[in-house]
Amino acid sequence: MKEELIARVLQVLRINMSWMTWNLFLAFIPLALSIWLFRMRRGGTWLWWLGFLVFYAFLPNAPYLLTDVIHLIDDIRTIQSVWMITLVLIPVYLLVILGGFEAYVISLINWGYYLHRIGKSQWIWRVELITHFLCAVGVYWGRFLRFNSWDFITQPDAVITKGVEEILGKQPLVIIAISFVVLASLYWIMKRVTLGLSQSDSRIGINSGSTKSNTPNI
């Protein structure tokens, strides 16, 4: 019985590993771009703006991992073992979901660092709120309409027409509004945790303790 249960858990994890790895890879693309755009390069060039657009196109993939909790519910029904669910399944999901959302948090921290560096610190909270809204729309498009980031290039007409038409309905607007509140709230918490745990600029690219440094205390 135990061997059968363990085999079932391993089978579930093996199946999940492919989409978890892929979704984490997509989530870390905007993180890598944020380091390149906001810490290693100056804005203004056509290459920078191209990277900036790609950054925003892929950014919703990071908080999108929050919606993967629906797979956890299905897996719980499949395994039906409290100990395996508690000790194996939930920790794996938490690691993946938190990893994706942390990529989102650090990406926006880097964006805020750049705004501070160019003398636009007063815009940080506005940019964060706008980004949360755009990502809430992006998460809805991805989860319910099954759009991908590259669809902006491969099928822009569908994204513009179907995507815009869908979000104008009452139910999509409610879902997007709830997603916005969740993103903004979790980001506010995780941002402060991240800044509190940071030991140096080189680790996450920001120093929350020194007001004399060139980094914002945000």
Side-chain angles (χ1 to χ4, degrees):
M1 185 66 180
K2 291 183 179 180
E3 290 77 9
E4 181 181 349
L5 179 60
I6 294 174
R8 189 180 306 171
V9 172
L10 292 176
Q11 181 182 10
V12 170
L13 292 178
R14 194 180 305 113
I15 294 173
N16 288 342
M17 196 57 61
S18 59
W19 66 260
M20 284 181 173
T21 304
W22 175 246
N23 285 356
L24 273 178
F25 170 74
L26 293 177
F28 276 85
I29 289 178
L31 175 58
L33 284 172
S34 74
I35 296 173
W36 179 71
L37 289 168
F38 307 133
R39 297 195 169 270
M40 299 176 61
R41 293 187 64 88
R42 292 181 176 273
T45 66
W46 68 268
L47 185 61
W48 189 91
W49 283 109
L50 177 60
F52 183 77
L53 292 176
V54 175
F55 167 76
Y56 262 99
F58 278 87
L59 187 58
N61 289 293
Y64 177 86
L65 280 161
L66 292 172
T67 68
D68 285 332
V69 70
I70 63 173
H71 299 300
L72 173 60
I73 297 173
D74 292 335
D75 290 342
I76 288 174
R77 293 171 180 169
T78 300
I79 295 176
Q80 296 181 341
S81 167
V82 175
W83 289 109
M84 287 296 181
I85 292 171
T86 304
L87 299 178
V88 179
L89 201 61
I90 291 179
V92 170
Y93 270 88
L94 282 177
L95 182 64
V96 172
I97 292 174
L98 287 177
F101 197 77
E102 184 65 13
Y104 178 70
V105 172
I106 299 177
S107 296
L108 284 189
I109 288 177
N110 287 337
W111 193 185
Y113 171 87
Y114 178 81
L115 290 171
H116 172 80
R117 194 176 66 188
I118 63 175
K120 303 291 184 181
S121 297
Q122 70 276 12
W123 279 92
I124 293 176
W125 68 271
R126 297 182 180 93
V127 167
E128 289 178 343
L129 290 179
I130 292 172
T131 301
H132 296 329
F133 173 75
L134 292 177
C135 284
V137 174
V139 169
Y140 177 84
W141 281 351
R143 175 54 65 189
F144 293 96
L145 304 185
R146 309 310 298 170
F147 282 128
N148 295 303
S149 298
W150 48 87
D151 287 333
F152 285 103
I153 302 298
T154 59
Q155 47 178 340
D157 293 342
V159 174
I160 294 174
T161 57
K162 184 180 178 181
V164 174
E165 288 176 1
E166 285 288 335
I167 65 174
L168 295 179
K170 183 177 180 180
Q171 182 176 354
L173 287 177
V174 172
I175 295 174
I176 291 172
I178 294 175
S179 299
F180 171 80
V181 172
V182 171
L183 286 183
S185 302
L186 288 180
Y187 173 77
W188 187 86
I189 295 172
M190 291 299 296
K191 179 181 179 180
R192 274 144 187 80
V193 172
T194 301
L195 294 176
L197 293 176
S198 64
Q199 299 297 321
S200 64
D201 289 343
S202 60
R203 181 165 300 181
I204 64 167
I206 199 167
N207 184 345
S208 63
S210 175
T211 57
K212 296 181 181 180
S213 67
N214 193 35
T215 52
N217 186 5
I218 54 178

